[in-house]
Amino acid sequence: MGAIYDKTYKASIENPEEFWAEAATRVHWYHQWDKVLDVVDGHYRWFVGGCMNSCYNALDLHIDHGRGEQTALIFDSPVTDTKRQYTYRELRDRVAKTAGMLVNKGVVKGDRVVIYMPMIPEAVIAMLACARIGAIHSVVFGGFAAHELATRIEDAKPRVIMSASCGIEVSRVIHYKPLLDEAIKKSSHKPTTCFIWQRPQERANMLPWRDVDWEVEEEKTSPVDCVPVDATDPLYILYTSGTTGKPKGVIRSNGGHSVAMKWSMDNIYNAKSGDVFWAASDVGWVVGHSYIVYAPLMNGCTTVVYEGKPVRTPNPGAFWRVCDEYKVNVLFAAPTAFRAIKKEDPKGEFVKKYNLENLRTIFMAGERCDSDTLHWTQKITGKPVIDHWWQTETGWAIAANPLGLDPMEVKAGSPTKPMPGFDLRVLDAEGKEVKPGKLGNLVIKLPLPPSCLMGIWEDDERYKRSYLNHYPGYYLTGDSGYIDKDGYVWVMGRMDGVINVAGHRLSTGEMEEVVSKHPDVAECAVIGVDDELKGEVPMGFVVLKSGIERDPQSLIEGVIQLVRDEIGAVASFRIATVVERLPKTRSGKILRTTMRSIADGKEWNVPSTIEDESVLAEIEAAIKALGYPKTKANS
């Protein structure tokens, strides 16, 4: 086990150009590249001089190879009780007409188009329509507040915006159009046209000089063909939150992205043409870009677009129902989704109602996957659960268990090993490599492999400052962790997720791992708080499983004892509390930085990405009950 991986990985690091040129033969090119890799001033450009089209690779290619009648996209929306399927030919025809609409409104290669959509097929169609004509799409998560949308419009300067009248969250309607109107009003840049997909749940009021009814327009528009683009032309801009509050526009290229997407489908997910691949995410996030839209379609799979939640639409059996109904082969979601299911159905009763015989593998990513969630999911489904680690900036897995190449033993809590092209190292504060098993900063020795960011949109200084300047010759992931003696990667959280307790570097992620082993705990968060004596000490927040009636005090004592037993008294884990819920972003990340600011008595703002801001008041009260903040620093 591991021999094929070792050989493949070695080849990718020792001769990246030869390795990726070979991988690129699986992509359709109008004409081949002149140079596999070109490095200019910190920018890594793959397949320079190569000419291709991402939409052609995702749709037309399969039709030209006689697979036009295969199902390309399954839409399932429990919130609107709608189901719809498209063959590759049907999807291509809609994409070609939608691309025609853009062309008619003056959109040309290199123009930006902002897409602000719910999880409906039109979101995918809009993205592929942009790719078809070489326009650069920038998808903004549907339901983001007007301010967030405005900053992205301001930065990307789109000629056209594509949106819908509304989105639906479990049982409430989110009015997109008023948010869009307000965002455009706030932005100094004004798009010339907005295409609005009118949904039956709510019809939007249109501005006659700017807004166009997408459905009506699409019907009367002629389809257009794919426009050849350079491999190094941007395919999309995707904004990721930065430390300054101003979002960073990550730029992804066409050529390198296509090559990495196809490589990852074959070798990481082991998903072949005809397989049903379901990434239960949102097109607004990187997982949605890579694994709802581009990779599955480029590899000839059937992709699932799901407008619903893991629970409450209508119950914790939602995921298993979709897997059964559409014979899903590979399921990919964030650990948060499975924790939500576990909280409502701890014994996994709902799984038993469905047939999961077609489901081969469950993948998790997006945040640290604690071993408890991994083991629980494995136990109730009987399926292999594979954790993997990556970022918006990379577009695909930095570390994973390559099931199509060389499946390896799973170590719970580790995303397994670095993927080909990612020369992962662990450095200390001085930039020296640390020994196996020692905690440090996870970095990637340059060059970055295909599909990683080409830069930050119109802000080269920030690209270098954020990623390259910290350790010259390396890309800074911003995560801390270690690589063990077997070469397995352990990601212990953001670099700021390491706390220094009386001179000991400790990972709050490791403490969360221990706390989540308690049988009554559904999920938890551990943050570092300022301490006069020790510099920092950990503070824990615990959410109980549904239906658990426990004296909170004795439960907290049990959790504290667990950490003491597993990590030792050195952890100084003595402060913890039971809470109803944790504050999270819409993509399920726990807002630990905000929680820490509250506990330290520092100024803080409600993060724009928060799912429910009322949780912060509950957290504030819980922290106050613990006797924090100790000082009123900076307030």
Tab-separated table of all heavy atoms in Angstrom, residues 45-88:
chain	number	residue	atom	x	y	z
A	45	ARG	N	2.143	30.291	-14.092
A	45	ARG	CA	1.225	30.178	-15.225
A	45	ARG	C	1.451	28.843	-15.924
A	45	ARG	O	2.543	28.564	-16.402
A	45	ARG	CB	1.435	31.353	-16.195
A	45	ARG	CG	0.974	32.682	-15.594
A	45	ARG	CD	1.780	33.882	-16.074
A	45	ARG	NE	2.245	33.781	-17.439
A	45	ARG	CZ	1.664	34.376	-18.493
A	45	ARG	NH1	0.589	35.116	-18.309
A	45	ARG	NH2	2.168	34.248	-19.696
A	46	TRP	N	0.387	28.019	-15.946
A	46	TRP	CA	0.480	26.677	-16.524
A	46	TRP	C	-0.056	26.645	-17.944
A	46	TRP	O	-1.047	27.297	-18.263
A	46	TRP	CB	-0.288	25.674	-15.662
A	46	TRP	CG	0.402	25.378	-14.351
A	46	TRP	CD1	0.209	26.017	-13.153
A	46	TRP	CD2	1.411	24.386	-14.126
A	46	TRP	NE1	1.038	25.479	-12.195
A	46	TRP	CE2	1.781	24.468	-12.759
A	46	TRP	CE3	2.033	23.432	-14.934
A	46	TRP	CZ2	2.745	23.635	-12.190
A	46	TRP	CZ3	2.993	22.596	-14.380
A	46	TRP	CH2	3.348	22.708	-13.007
A	47	PHE	N	0.603	25.864	-18.797
A	47	PHE	CA	0.174	25.592	-20.180
A	47	PHE	C	0.101	26.869	-21.021
A	47	PHE	O	-0.874	27.119	-21.731
A	47	PHE	CB	-1.163	24.827	-20.198
A	47	PHE	CG	-1.132	23.629	-19.290
A	47	PHE	CD1	-1.864	23.597	-18.105
A	47	PHE	CD2	-0.331	22.537	-19.594
A	47	PHE	CE1	-1.794	22.504	-17.244
A	47	PHE	CE2	-0.260	21.436	-18.734
A	47	PHE	CZ	-0.990	21.417	-17.570
A	48	VAL	N	1.138	27.684	-20.902
A	48	VAL	CA	1.191	28.969	-21.601
A	48	VAL	C	1.158	28.744	-23.115
A	48	VAL	O	1.895	27.915	-23.653
A	48	VAL	CB	2.459	29.746	-21.200
A	48	VAL	CG1	2.560	31.061	-21.950
A	48	VAL	CG2	2.456	29.992	-19.697
A	49	GLY	N	0.267	29.475	-23.795
A	49	GLY	CA	0.136	29.342	-25.248
A	49	GLY	C	-0.893	28.301	-25.633
A	49	GLY	O	-1.305	28.221	-26.790
A	50	GLY	N	-1.338	27.509	-24.657
A	50	GLY	CA	-2.387	26.515	-24.932
A	50	GLY	C	-3.728	27.210	-25.093
A	50	GLY	O	-3.977	28.255	-24.505
A	51	CYS	N	-4.586	26.612	-25.921
A	51	CYS	CA	-5.872	27.233	-26.221
A	51	CYS	C	-6.974	26.197	-26.029
A	51	CYS	O	-6.888	25.085	-26.571
A	51	CYS	CB	-5.796	27.708	-27.671
A	51	CYS	SG	-7.143	28.751	-28.097
A	52	MET	N	-8.014	26.535	-25.240
A	52	MET	CA	-9.067	25.565	-24.916
A	52	MET	C	-10.325	26.308	-24.491
A	52	MET	O	-10.382	27.531	-24.564
A	52	MET	CB	-8.584	24.609	-23.820
A	52	MET	CG	-7.904	25.225	-22.620
A	52	MET	SD	-9.019	25.889	-21.377
A	52	MET	CE	-9.707	24.359	-20.746
A	53	ASN	N	-11.349	25.555	-24.053
A	53	ASN	CA	-12.541	26.192	-23.484
A	53	ASN	C	-13.117	25.275	-22.401
A	53	ASN	O	-13.359	24.101	-22.643
A	53	ASN	CB	-13.583	26.462	-24.576
A	53	ASN	CG	-14.820	27.163	-24.009
A	53	ASN	OD1	-15.645	26.540	-23.344
A	53	ASN	ND2	-14.933	28.465	-24.252
A	54	SER	N	-13.311	25.834	-21.204
A	54	SER	CA	-13.772	25.033	-20.059
A	54	SER	C	-15.184	24.509	-20.275
A	54	SER	O	-15.506	23.393	-19.854
A	54	SER	CB	-13.703	25.858	-18.769
A	54	SER	OG	-12.354	26.175	-18.468
A	55	CYS	N	-16.049	25.300	-20.898
A	55	CYS	CA	-17.430	24.859	-21.141
A	55	CYS	C	-17.451	23.725	-22.163
A	55	CYS	O	-18.203	22.759	-22.025
A	55	CYS	CB	-18.284	26.037	-21.613
A	55	CYS	SG	-19.988	25.577	-21.963
A	56	TYR	N	-16.608	23.825	-23.193
A	56	TYR	CA	-16.536	22.743	-24.187
A	56	TYR	C	-16.133	21.441	-23.484
A	56	TYR	O	-16.712	20.380	-23.717
A	56	TYR	CB	-15.531	23.065	-25.306
A	56	TYR	CG	-15.496	21.963	-26.351
A	56	TYR	CD1	-16.412	21.954	-27.401
A	56	TYR	CD2	-14.604	20.901	-26.237
A	56	TYR	CE1	-16.429	20.909	-28.323
A	56	TYR	CE2	-14.611	19.851	-27.145
A	56	TYR	CZ	-15.525	19.861	-28.189
A	56	TYR	OH	-15.550	18.820	-29.087
A	57	ASN	N	-15.150	21.529	-22.600
A	57	ASN	CA	-14.680	20.343	-21.881
A	57	ASN	C	-15.743	19.777	-20.939
A	57	ASN	O	-15.752	18.579	-20.663
A	57	ASN	CB	-13.405	20.665	-21.102
A	57	ASN	CG	-12.159	20.499	-21.960
A	57	ASN	OD1	-11.727	19.385	-22.219
A	57	ASN	ND2	-11.613	21.611	-22.440
A	58	ALA	N	-16.630	20.648	-20.446
A	58	ALA	CA	-17.655	20.202	-19.502
A	58	ALA	C	-18.904	19.654	-20.198
A	58	ALA	O	-19.602	18.817	-19.629
A	58	ALA	CB	-18.045	21.356	-18.576
A	59	LEU	N	-19.213	20.141	-21.409
A	59	LEU	CA	-20.478	19.756	-22.048
A	59	LEU	C	-20.317	19.205	-23.464
A	59	LEU	O	-20.547	18.033	-23.716
A	59	LEU	CB	-21.445	20.958	-22.069
A	59	LEU	CG	-21.853	21.556	-20.710
A	59	LEU	CD1	-22.700	22.799	-20.921
A	59	LEU	CD2	-22.602	20.545	-19.856
A	60	ASP	N	-19.907	20.057	-24.399
A	60	ASP	CA	-19.894	19.696	-25.824
A	60	ASP	C	-19.046	18.457	-26.114
A	60	ASP	O	-19.402	17.640	-26.967
A	60	ASP	CB	-19.375	20.863	-26.667
A	60	ASP	CG	-20.150	22.149	-26.405
A	60	ASP	OD1	-20.080	22.669	-25.273
A	60	ASP	OD2	-20.833	22.625	-27.322
A	61	LEU	N	-17.937	18.330	-25.421
A	61	LEU	CA	-17.022	17.204	-25.632
A	61	LEU	C	-17.757	15.866	-25.501
A	61	LEU	O	-17.590	14.966	-26.318
A	61	LEU	CB	-15.874	17.281	-24.616
A	61	LEU	CG	-14.799	16.200	-24.681
A	61	LEU	CD1	-13.977	16.339	-25.952
A	61	LEU	CD2	-13.871	16.274	-23.475
A	62	HIS	N	-18.597	15.751	-24.457
A	62	HIS	CA	-19.311	14.485	-24.225
A	62	HIS	C	-20.352	14.242	-25.318
A	62	HIS	O	-20.573	13.104	-25.729
A	62	HIS	CB	-19.970	14.496	-22.847
A	62	HIS	CG	-19.012	14.831	-21.754
A	62	HIS	ND1	-17.878	14.083	-21.487
A	62	HIS	CD2	-18.981	15.858	-20.865
A	62	HIS	CE1	-17.212	14.639	-20.482
A	62	HIS	NE2	-17.859	15.711	-20.097
A	63	ILE	N	-20.984	15.327	-25.783
A	63	ILE	CA	-21.989	15.200	-26.844
A	63	ILE	C	-21.289	14.749	-28.128
A	63	ILE	O	-21.747	13.842	-28.820
A	63	ILE	CB	-22.739	16.543	-27.036
A	63	ILE	CG1	-23.464	16.915	-25.726
A	63	ILE	CG2	-23.728	16.475	-28.200
A	63	ILE	CD1	-23.898	18.358	-25.627
A	64	ASP	N	-20.130	15.367	-28.409
A	64	ASP	CA	-19.350	14.990	-29.603
A	64	ASP	C	-18.856	13.546	-29.521
A	64	ASP	O	-18.559	12.936	-30.540
A	64	ASP	CB	-18.157	15.943	-29.791
A	64	ASP	CG	-18.619	17.352	-30.158
A	64	ASP	OD1	-19.822	17.519	-30.457
A	64	ASP	OD2	-17.787	18.283	-30.137
A	65	HIS	N	-18.757	13.024	-28.302
A	65	HIS	CA	-18.321	11.630	-28.130
A	65	HIS	C	-19.513	10.680	-27.976
A	65	HIS	O	-19.356	9.560	-27.483
A	65	HIS	CB	-17.394	11.505	-26.911
A	65	HIS	CG	-16.025	12.056	-27.158
A	65	HIS	ND1	-15.049	12.129	-26.196
A	65	HIS	CD2	-15.460	12.579	-28.279
A	65	HIS	CE1	-13.954	12.677	-26.709
A	65	HIS	NE2	-14.194	12.957	-27.977
A	66	GLY	N	-20.721	11.177	-28.343
A	66	GLY	CA	-21.895	10.307	-28.367
A	66	GLY	C	-22.561	10.058	-27.032
A	66	GLY	O	-23.320	9.103	-26.865
A	67	ARG	N	-22.303	10.949	-26.021
A	67	ARG	CA	-22.918	10.712	-24.710
A	67	ARG	C	-23.918	11.809	-24.362
A	67	ARG	O	-24.185	12.086	-23.196
A	67	ARG	CB	-21.816	10.644	-23.630
A	67	ARG	CG	-20.647	9.750	-24.006
A	67	ARG	CD	-20.250	8.647	-23.072
A	67	ARG	NE	-20.707	8.708	-21.727
A	67	ARG	CZ	-20.034	9.297	-20.745
A	67	ARG	NH1	-18.882	9.886	-20.973
A	67	ARG	NH2	-20.515	9.256	-19.539
A	68	GLY	N	-24.469	12.447	-25.393
A	68	GLY	CA	-25.375	13.580	-25.174
A	68	GLY	C	-26.655	13.256	-24.422
A	68	GLY	O	-27.262	14.125	-23.814
A	69	GLU	N	-27.057	11.961	-24.453
A	69	GLU	CA	-28.328	11.600	-23.790
A	69	GLU	C	-28.130	11.181	-22.333
A	69	GLU	O	-29.095	10.881	-21.638
A	69	GLU	CB	-29.046	10.484	-24.570
A	69	GLU	CG	-29.345	10.833	-26.035
A	69	GLU	CD	-29.775	12.291	-26.252
A	69	GLU	OE1	-30.763	12.707	-25.609
A	69	GLU	OE2	-29.126	13.006	-27.040
A	70	GLN	N	-26.881	11.138	-21.871
A	70	GLN	CA	-26.644	10.814	-20.452
A	70	GLN	C	-27.116	11.974	-19.578
A	70	GLN	O	-27.020	13.139	-19.971
A	70	GLN	CB	-25.151	10.578	-20.221
A	70	GLN	CG	-24.861	10.105	-18.791
A	70	GLN	CD	-23.430	10.389	-18.367
A	70	GLN	OE1	-22.498	10.013	-19.054
A	70	GLN	NE2	-23.261	11.046	-17.227
A	71	THR	N	-27.616	11.665	-18.387
A	71	THR	CA	-28.019	12.727	-17.459
A	71	THR	C	-26.771	13.483	-16.990
A	71	THR	O	-25.810	12.868	-16.521
A	71	THR	CB	-28.767	12.146	-16.243
A	71	THR	OG1	-29.847	11.364	-16.723
A	71	THR	CG2	-29.300	13.245	-15.340
A	72	ALA	N	-26.813	14.807	-17.142
A	72	ALA	CA	-25.685	15.642	-16.709
A	72	ALA	C	-25.971	16.239	-15.340
A	72	ALA	O	-25.095	16.321	-14.485
A	72	ALA	CB	-25.450	16.764	-17.719
A	73	LEU	N	-27.224	16.666	-15.130
A	73	LEU	CA	-27.542	17.407	-13.907
A	73	LEU	C	-28.895	16.962	-13.356
A	73	LEU	O	-29.873	16.859	-14.098
A	73	LEU	CB	-27.553	18.910	-14.214
A	73	LEU	CG	-27.700	19.883	-13.055
A	73	LEU	CD1	-26.973	21.194	-13.372
A	73	LEU	CD2	-29.166	20.216	-12.755
A	74	ILE	N	-28.902	16.689	-12.057
A	74	ILE	CA	-30.142	16.374	-11.343
A	74	ILE	C	-30.395	17.520	-10.373
A	74	ILE	O	-29.523	17.869	-9.573
A	74	ILE	CB	-30.007	15.065	-10.539
A	74	ILE	CG1	-29.853	13.864	-11.490
A	74	ILE	CG2	-31.196	14.880	-9.603
A	74	ILE	CD1	-29.416	12.575	-10.795
A	75	PHE	N	-31.586	18.125	-10.470
A	75	PHE	CA	-31.953	19.203	-9.531
A	75	PHE	C	-32.982	18.644	-8.566
A	75	PHE	O	-33.998	18.083	-8.980
A	75	PHE	CB	-32.511	20.393	-10.310
A	75	PHE	CG	-33.095	21.477	-9.441
A	75	PHE	CD1	-32.364	22.040	-8.404
A	75	PHE	CD2	-34.391	21.955	-9.660
A	75	PHE	CE1	-32.900	23.051	-7.602
A	75	PHE	CE2	-34.933	22.966	-8.861
A	75	PHE	CZ	-34.181	23.511	-7.835
A	76	ASP	N	-32.724	18.782	-7.278
A	76	ASP	CA	-33.646	18.303	-6.251
A	76	ASP	C	-33.817	19.397	-5.209
A	76	ASP	O	-32.856	19.807	-4.570
A	76	ASP	CB	-33.092	17.024	-5.614
A	76	ASP	CG	-34.083	16.392	-4.643
A	76	ASP	OD1	-34.390	17.019	-3.608
A	76	ASP	OD2	-34.550	15.269	-4.924
A	77	SER	N	-35.045	19.884	-5.092
A	77	SER	CA	-35.308	20.986	-4.160
A	77	SER	C	-36.446	20.648	-3.210
A	77	SER	O	-37.614	20.878	-3.532
A	77	SER	CB	-35.655	22.260	-4.954
A	77	SER	OG	-36.175	23.248	-4.097
A	78	PRO	N	-36.120	20.087	-2.029
A	78	PRO	CA	-37.189	19.798	-1.072
A	78	PRO	C	-37.903	21.058	-0.583
A	78	PRO	O	-39.061	21.001	-0.200
A	78	PRO	CB	-36.464	19.095	0.078
A	78	PRO	CG	-35.020	19.406	-0.084
A	78	PRO	CD	-34.792	19.666	-1.535
A	79	VAL	N	-37.232	22.219	-0.647
A	79	VAL	CA	-37.876	23.442	-0.139
A	79	VAL	C	-38.956	23.968	-1.094
A	79	VAL	O	-39.823	24.732	-0.691
A	79	VAL	CB	-36.853	24.563	0.197
A	79	VAL	CG1	-35.972	24.148	1.366
A	79	VAL	CG2	-36.013	24.961	-1.004
A	80	THR	N	-38.890	23.572	-2.375
A	80	THR	CA	-39.954	23.997	-3.313
A	80	THR	C	-40.691	22.790	-3.875
A	80	THR	O	-41.576	22.931	-4.707
A	80	THR	CB	-39.356	24.772	-4.512
A	80	THR	OG1	-38.441	23.905	-5.208
A	80	THR	CG2	-38.628	26.020	-4.071
A	81	ASP	N	-40.287	21.593	-3.421
A	81	ASP	CA	-40.884	20.358	-3.901
A	81	ASP	C	-40.756	20.238	-5.429
A	81	ASP	O	-41.726	19.984	-6.135
A	81	ASP	CB	-42.364	20.300	-3.469
A	81	ASP	CG	-42.857	18.860	-3.431
A	81	ASP	OD1	-42.003	17.957	-3.404
A	81	ASP	OD2	-44.083	18.645	-3.459
A	82	THR	N	-39.538	20.485	-5.927
A	82	THR	CA	-39.279	20.438	-7.371
A	82	THR	C	-38.162	19.454	-7.661
A	82	THR	O	-37.168	19.406	-6.925
A	82	THR	CB	-38.795	21.835	-7.867
A	82	THR	OG1	-39.639	22.836	-7.334
A	82	THR	CG2	-38.780	21.926	-9.376
A	83	LYS	N	-38.316	18.696	-8.745
A	83	LYS	CA	-37.248	17.806	-9.206
A	83	LYS	C	-37.155	17.944	-10.718
A	83	LYS	O	-38.187	18.032	-11.391
A	83	LYS	CB	-37.545	16.344	-8.851
A	83	LYS	CG	-37.515	16.090	-7.354
A	83	LYS	CD	-37.998	14.700	-6.990
A	83	LYS	CE	-38.034	14.551	-5.464
A	83	LYS	NZ	-38.484	13.228	-5.042
A	84	ARG	N	-35.926	17.954	-11.254
A	84	ARG	CA	-35.769	18.155	-12.689
A	84	ARG	C	-34.433	17.532	-13.103
A	84	ARG	O	-33.483	17.564	-12.348
A	84	ARG	CB	-35.775	19.680	-12.927
A	84	ARG	CG	-35.553	20.175	-14.332
A	84	ARG	CD	-36.812	20.178	-15.165
A	84	ARG	NE	-36.471	19.900	-16.563
A	84	ARG	CZ	-36.218	20.838	-17.468
A	84	ARG	NH1	-36.302	22.111	-17.153
A	84	ARG	NH2	-35.908	20.506	-18.708
A	85	GLN	N	-34.388	16.950	-14.299
A	85	GLN	CA	-33.127	16.390	-14.781
A	85	GLN	C	-32.818	16.925	-16.176
A	85	GLN	O	-33.733	17.193	-16.948
A	85	GLN	CB	-33.190	14.854	-14.810
A	85	GLN	CG	-33.466	14.272	-13.430
A	85	GLN	CD	-33.151	12.786	-13.316
A	85	GLN	OE1	-32.570	12.189	-14.210
A	85	GLN	NE2	-33.513	12.199	-12.181
A	86	TYR	N	-31.528	17.092	-16.454
A	86	TYR	CA	-31.077	17.561	-17.768
A	86	TYR	C	-30.059	16.572	-18.327
A	86	TYR	O	-29.134	16.184	-17.604
A	86	TYR	CB	-30.368	18.923	-17.661
A	86	TYR	CG	-31.255	20.060	-17.225
A	86	TYR	CD1	-31.483	20.306	-15.864
A	86	TYR	CD2	-31.859	20.903	-18.161
A	86	TYR	CE1	-32.293	21.359	-15.461
A	86	TYR	CE2	-32.672	21.959	-17.759
A	86	TYR	CZ	-32.881	22.178	-16.415
A	86	TYR	OH	-33.684	23.219	-16.009
A	87	THR	N	-30.192	16.233	-19.608
A	87	THR	CA	-29.136	15.456	-20.255
A	87	THR	C	-28.017	16.437	-20.609
A	87	THR	O	-28.202	17.656	-20.555
A	87	THR	CB	-29.623	14.796	-21.555
A	87	THR	OG1	-29.988	15.844	-22.475
A	87	THR	CG2	-30.812	13.877	-21.309
A	88	TYR	N	-26.874	15.878	-21.023
A	88	TYR	CA	-25.773	16.749	-21.455
A	88	TYR	C	-26.227	17.652	-22.610
A	88	TYR	O	-25.901	18.841	-22.638
A	88	TYR	CB	-24.546	15.910	-21.862
A	88	TYR	CG	-23.616	15.680	-20.693
A	88	TYR	CD1	-23.693	14.526	-19.912
A	88	TYR	CD2	-22.674	16.640	-20.337
A	88	TYR	CE1	-22.853	14.335	-18.820
A	88	TYR	CE2	-21.831	16.459	-19.256
A	88	TYR	CZ	-21.920	15.310	-18.497
A	88	TYR	OH	-21.087	15.139	-17.404
